Amino acid sequence: MTERELWSLANRKLIARSIGELYFEGVLEPENTGTDFFVLKTKSGVSYSFQGWISVWDSLNVQLHSIRRLNSSSDELSAGQFFLDIQAETGMTDIILGQFLEEMHQTLYADLRVLRVQSETSVAMLAKLSGDEIQTQLSGHPKILLNKGRLGWSSRDIQDYAPESNRSFQLFWLGIDRNYGIFHSAPEFDSDRIINESFDTLERERLEQTLKQHDVSLESHRIIPVHPSQWERVIRTQYASEIAVLRMIPLGLLGDQYRPQISIRTLSNVSRPERTDIKLALSILNTSAVRGIAPKYIPLIPNLSLDLAAICAEDGFLQQSNTQILAECAGFSYAHPLYSQMSGAPYRYQESLGVVWRQSSVSRIAHDEKAVIAGAFAHRDFDGHCLAAEYARSAGVEIGDWLDCYFRVVILPLYHLQVRYGVGIVAHGQNIVVRLKNSLPVGVFLKDFQGDVRLLDQLPEASPSRMAAYQGILTQLPSHYLIHDLITGHFVTVLRFLSASLFESDGFSEQEFYARLRRTITHYLEEQGLESSNLFVAKIPRLLVNPVRFKIGYADSDVRPLPLLGAEIFNPLVPASESLL
């Protein structure tokens, strides 16, 4: 495709996704004028027509090539003009909309790069790649309209460090006085281990020479990685005082090559994939927040992931489901000497220098397995084929049978952790890593516990006593709220898009999709001797993410923004005859 065709496609895709999500979130109200024909009349006087269909989630799926801006002299569509047209519906002020358009242009620029790659890759080709390689071709968070905003990055940063660029790079390393910063780790994960995770023999020799040049030793300093972009944009200026008084010693670009995962700030070791992933602070606004490392969670490393791993190892059901934890081995955070004295300072200033080391999925899978994030399965190629359906074909099974495997090894373990142990994992598409063997789901890895683990306000009797130690640290929620870590975090954010993708690509009905999920959960309840499930509530509140940005804009805050609640929707796991009772 030509550059112009790709640009037009990027705009159409963004408009189609925006209409669909803003309908779901109650911001837009297109009128259904026929079986599958809709007209969106805006308060600006401009109308859009399109074809689409409404899913069992009351979600509108727009056929992007059908979109027309009525009374327009051009067939070309502009996403920016669309957001100007719906400004009254979103409630954005001119100040907020102007900043929103800036983030939109960043997203479209990145979308253009992603589409170039996707145009050359079928799902058959994608299914042969490793899980990390697949992440370089994904479109991003399906719910967030501007899911690749990356405010704070230049086009060169995107070229050098974005996942779709599929480039590897070295990390920037600092020697930090051991009297400063917070460090927590597993006993075996000492400074020498940290270096071995990122430096082969030759690079370690370079490091040791560099340390000698700066008169730095491992006894006096911790050797800490920083994202190269973060060093250039933030650390070398905002921490200049620390560098001047030698509390921080810049050591330069060293060590193994790393490649970003879809979350951008988590990096995979390309030189030695079995080594730990590294999650770094990155002070750019991407999706809903500035992507730093919150210091308050560092003290939870490594005990929280070790305790969760012990539950998975000791519980017969979780063993059978092949549920495992990608442990957080070590973490470090450095408080800025000035900003840290202000409790109400913008949170991004408190999170700008930190790192978490986490086990890589490659280190935990067998040679005949691959590990793929759950958010990848809904991906469709330029011919409209769905990646999950391709895995089913490759495995030689029907789509429904493939889904049954997925539900057993992903949904049931997540629910089991809540029911038996009062542990909720915010189960969005990046936190859940599915193990595939011969293209079939055979297990799951759970990861990223920096704020994405919550507890029931009253822990069940079966919950180990060690979990009680986290009650004053982790968020505690009553059961009817905690369950939304699964319902909203996974059903609405992952399965909603997967079921729609399978319907559009292969005609697999959503009714059958959720009937199978209900049967899987019902069978689990019978096996466990449980009478009912809070997964079968008749109605579910909508969690609204995009209206938060419309409302609060881009001003700094001392806390990360939280979603809003919208109108309830009928639960597709509940048959219509029951939900109306």
Side-chain angles (χ1 to χ4, degrees):
M1 297 179 72
T2 66
E3 194 80 352
R4 179 172 181 170
E5 289 171 330
L6 288 173
W7 176 253
S8 175
L9 181 59
N11 278 266
R12 281 188 173 273
K13 279 180 170 288
L14 180 51
I15 293 171
R17 194 158 55 83
S18 298
I19 293 174
E21 280 307 294
L22 295 181
Y23 169 85
F24 179 74
E25 294 181 322
V27 176
L28 299 180
E29 299 179 359
E31 178 185 352
N32 189 341
T33 61
T35 305
D36 62 352
F37 195 80
F38 295 81
V39 173
L40 171 63
K41 298 178 180 178
T42 72
K43 294 176 182 178
S44 66
V46 176
S47 296
Y48 288 80
S49 67
F50 56 89
Q51 291 176 292
W53 59 281
I54 296 177
S55 77
V56 296
W57 289 103
D58 192 30
S59 183
L60 180 56
N61 297 269
V62 178
Q63 305 305 308
L64 63 98
H65 293 294
S66 70
I67 306 171
R68 298 289 181 271
R69 185 173 187 263
L70 302 183
N71 302 319
S72 173
S73 59
S74 173
D75 288 335
E76 291 290 324
L77 291 176
S78 162
Q81 185 61 56
F82 170 77
F83 289 119
L84 284 167
D85 291 339
I86 65 167
Q87 181 178 3
E89 281 77 8
T90 64
M92 282 190 279
T93 65
D94 283 357
I95 292 290
I96 293 175
L97 179 56
Q99 294 169 311
F100 186 87
L101 293 179
E102 179 186 5
E103 188 181 12
M104 181 207 71
H105 284 114
Q106 289 274 113
T107 297
L108 285 174
Y109 179 81
D111 281 340
L112 193 63
R113 297 173 62 84
V114 174
L115 289 172
R116 283 195 206 107
V117 178
Q118 291 179 348
S119 67
E120 300 173 352
T121 311
S122 67
V123 291
M125 297 165 63
L126 205 60
K128 293 181 173 64
L129 301 180
S130 70
D132 280 347
E133 290 170 328
I134 288 172
Q135 292 193 51
T136 67
Q137 305 213 21
L138 300 180
S139 297
H141 198 305
K143 282 178 62 62
I144 306 290
L145 303 187
L146 307 183
N147 57 15
K148 291 181 285 297
R150 303 162 185 173
L151 289 177
W153 263 7
S154 67
S155 61
R156 175 55 63 89
D157 290 322
I158 294 171
Q159 176 179 307
D160 290 343
Y161 306 123
E164 66 270 11
S165 297
N166 197 15
R167 291 187 176 186
S168 61
F169 52 87
Q170 290 178 305
L171 306 182
F172 194 94
W173 292 80
L174 298 173
I176 297 183
D177 188 320
R178 284 179 175 269
N179 293 310
Y180 297 87
I182 304 170
F183 179 78
H184 288 265
S185 74
E188 71 278 7
F189 218 86
D190 56 15
S191 293
D192 199 60
R193 173 69 180 275
I194 284 174
I195 292 172
N196 287 336
E197 290 296 306
S198 294
F199 292 80
D200 63 16
T201 302
L202 289 177
E203 282 296 310
R204 175 135 193 180
E205 290 177 1
R206 283 189 63 214
L207 172 64
E208 290 172 352
Q209 291 171 2
T210 303
L211 293 177
K212 287 179 182 178
Q213 292 170 7
H214 291 281
D215 194 25
V216 172
S217 72
L218 297 183
E219 288 71 33
S220 62
H221 289 72
R222 298 191 191 280
I223 310 304
I224 299 297
V226 177
H227 195 288
S229 170
Q230 189 74 352
W231 163 250
E232 290 293 341
R233 290 188 57 254
V234 178
I235 305 303
R236 73 185 309 173
T237 56
Q238 296 300 306
Y239 290 83
S241 63
E242 306 304 280
I243 296 169
V245 299
L246 303 182
R247 285 196 281 266
M248 289 184 187
I249 310 295
L251 302 175
L253 296 170
L254 296 163
D256 291 343
Q257 295 282 323
Y258 285 83
R259 179 173 57 206
Q261 298 177 11
I262 190 67
S263 63
I264 298 184
R265 60 179 167 158
T266 299
L267 311 174
S268 301
N269 191 319
V270 176
S271 304
R272 298 176 297 163
E274 74 281 359
R275 300 293 180 167
T276 51
D277 292 344
I278 293 182
K279 181 177 181 178
L280 297 170
L282 202 53
S283 298
I284 59 173
L285 178 65
N286 193 53
T287 62
S288 60
V290 176
R291 296 297 161 182
I293 299 291
K296 66 179 180 179
Y297 297 116
I298 297 299
L300 299 181
I301 298 172
N303 292 337
L304 178 57
S305 53
L306 290 175
D307 288 338
L308 292 174
I311 289 175
C312 293
E314 296 164 4
D315 183 280
F317 179 83
L318 295 176
Q319 282 183 329
Q320 183 182 6
S321 303
N322 200 8
T323 304
Q324 298 183 34
I325 299 296
L326 294 180
E328 293 174 347
C329 310
F332 175 84
S333 178
Y334 194 103
H336 191 283
L338 298 181
Y339 298 130
S340 60
Q341 297 180 51
M342 300 179 289
S343 60
Y347 69 88
R348 61 189 176 96
Y349 295 141
Q350 318 288 11
E351 303 180 4
S352 59
L353 180 50
V355 56
V356 173
W357 288 265
R358 182 173 61 221
Q359 288 178 319
S360 69
S361 57
V362 175
S363 70
R364 303 289 300 279
I365 57 176
H367 72 279
D368 58 347
E369 293 181 340
K370 65 176 61 180
V372 180
I373 60 170
F377 295 119
H379 172 80
R380 294 172 66 198
D381 63 20
F382 268 42
D383 292 322
H385 301 308
C386 174
L387 181 58
E390 178 60 32
Y391 280 129
R393 283 188 284 272
S394 178
V397 300
E398 297 294 326
I399 291 173
D401 296 329
W402 190 93
L403 288 171
D404 287 343
C405 293
Y406 181 96
F407 297 152
R408 283 196 297 269
V409 301
V410 176
I411 305 302
L412 294 186
L414 290 168
Y415 187 53
H416 187 81
L417 281 169
Q418 285 207 19
V419 172
R420 289 298 182 195
Y421 303 106
V423 176
I425 307 289
V426 180
H428 59 66
Q430 296 173 15
N431 282 354
I432 306 303
V433 185
V434 183
R435 299 178 71 163
L436 298 179
K437 183 173 183 177
N438 298 324
S439 297
L440 277 177
V442 295
V444 68
F445 290 122
L446 307 180
K447 68 170 186 173
D448 203 353
F449 309 125
Q450 300 292 300
D452 280 353
V453 178
R454 281 97 77 84
L455 298 179
L456 197 63
D457 55 359
Q458 295 184 346
L459 292 176
E461 291 184 8
S463 186
S465 58
R466 56 180 171 261
M467 294 307 296
Y470 301 108
Q471 287 180 304
I473 306 171
L474 298 176
T475 300
Q476 292 180 258
L477 299 169
S479 177
H480 63 283
Y481 283 130
L482 188 67
I483 194 62
H484 285 280
D485 286 350
L486 180 53
I487 293 178
T488 301
H490 202 80
F491 291 7
V492 176
T493 307
V494 178
L495 298 188
R496 173 164 67 102
F497 297 96
L498 178 56
S499 62
S501 182
L502 287 171
F503 173 68
E504 290 191 338
S505 69
D506 290 75
F508 190 85
S509 81
E510 289 192 300
Q511 288 74 16
E512 175 66 11
F513 186 105
Y514 294 102
R516 283 178 174 270
L517 177 53
R518 181 184 174 94
R519 285 197 295 270
T520 300
I521 295 169
T522 300
H523 181 66
Y524 163 84
L525 295 172
E526 293 171 350
E527 275 190 336
Q528 298 294 316
L530 301 172
E531 293 184 359
S532 62
S533 170
N534 52 1
L535 289 174
F536 296 154
V537 292
K539 293 183 178 181
I540 302 168
R542 299 176 204 244
L543 214 59
L544 314 182
V545 291
N546 296 293
V548 175
R549 182 63 62 203
F550 302 156
K551 180 179 180 181
I552 69 172
Y554 293 80
D556 273 324
S557 171
D558 61 336
V559 294
R560 296 188 179 206
L562 296 174
L564 300 171
L565 287 179
E568 291 184 322
I569 50 177
F570 287 108
N571 184 352
L573 269 66
V574 178
S577 57
E578 294 182 25
S579 63
L580 294 175
L581 295 178

